């Protein structure tokens, strides 16, 4: 917000700064977006949630949604009728290579503006 011209900000009235989700919140957001995604076992699902939430610091909810969409598309590319493919951690690793966090965590951003 500190990079936007104050005259433009003034036209928008009140400003509410929303912090990026922490790891637990990211896990819950991912759980919601992955409710209908097929994993081999419930353990795979829980492991995926834990690992992805840990690897996505600085991601917003919208970026997490995009990450899930990319992983689903990656799984679809590998789909065939003889040997069905579920979403795996590998699909999420491919998605993480494509989707990057647009914003830095709030604490990092504050530290940079203070320099």
């Amino acid at each position: 917000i500190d990079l936007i011209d104050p005259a433009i900000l003034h036209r928008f009235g009140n400003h509410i700064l929303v912090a990026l989700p922490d790891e637990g919140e990211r896990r819950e957001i991912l759980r919601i977006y992955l409710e209908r995604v097929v994993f081999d076992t419930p353990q795979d699902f829980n492991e995926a949630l834990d690992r992805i939430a840990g690897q996505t610091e600085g991601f917003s909810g919208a970026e997490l949604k995009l990450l899930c969409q990319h992983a689903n598309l990656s799984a679809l590319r590998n789909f065939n009728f003889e040997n069905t493919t579920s979403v795996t951690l590998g699909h999420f690793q491919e998605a993480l290579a494509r989707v990057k966090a647009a914003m830095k965590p709030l604490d990092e951003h504050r530290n940079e503006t203070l320099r």
Side-chain angles (χ1 to χ4, degrees):
I1 199 165
D2 59 320
L3 300 175
I4 300 173
D5 185 345
I8 293 173
L9 283 176
H10 180 70
R11 302 184 105 201
F12 290 105
N14 294 333
H15 309 128
I16 300 172
L17 185 60
V18 178
L20 294 170
D22 64 21
E23 187 171 344
E25 293 165 337
R26 290 192 308 272
R27 189 182 194 288
E28 183 62 19
I29 292 168
L30 288 164
R31 187 191 62 73
I32 291 167
Y33 286 133
L34 296 174
E35 274 180 333
R36 296 185 178 153
V37 173
V38 177
F39 285 84
D40 288 335
T41 66
Q43 293 83 6
D44 290 346
F45 178 72
N46 290 325
E47 180 184 346
L49 287 179
D50 292 338
R51 290 193 51 194
I52 299 162
Q55 294 177 339
T56 53
E57 184 176 355
F59 279 57
S60 67
E63 290 161 338
L64 292 170
K65 180 179 181 179
L66 183 62
L67 179 72
C68 293
Q69 290 171 339
H70 276 281
N72 285 332
L73 288 173
S74 180
L76 282 174
R77 279 188 221 108
N78 298 331
F79 179 83
N80 67 50
F81 288 103
E82 294 159 4
N83 183 16
T84 59
T85 303
S86 60
V87 177
T88 65
L89 283 172
H91 296 125
F92 278 97
Q93 295 305 321
E94 288 178 35
L96 279 168
R98 293 179 177 204
V99 179
K100 302 292 181 193
M103 297 184 66
K104 296 179 182 175
L106 189 57
D107 294 336
E108 286 182 33
H109 184 68
R110 281 190 184 144
N111 291 338
E112 284 186 5
T113 59
L114 294 175
R115 290 181 194 163

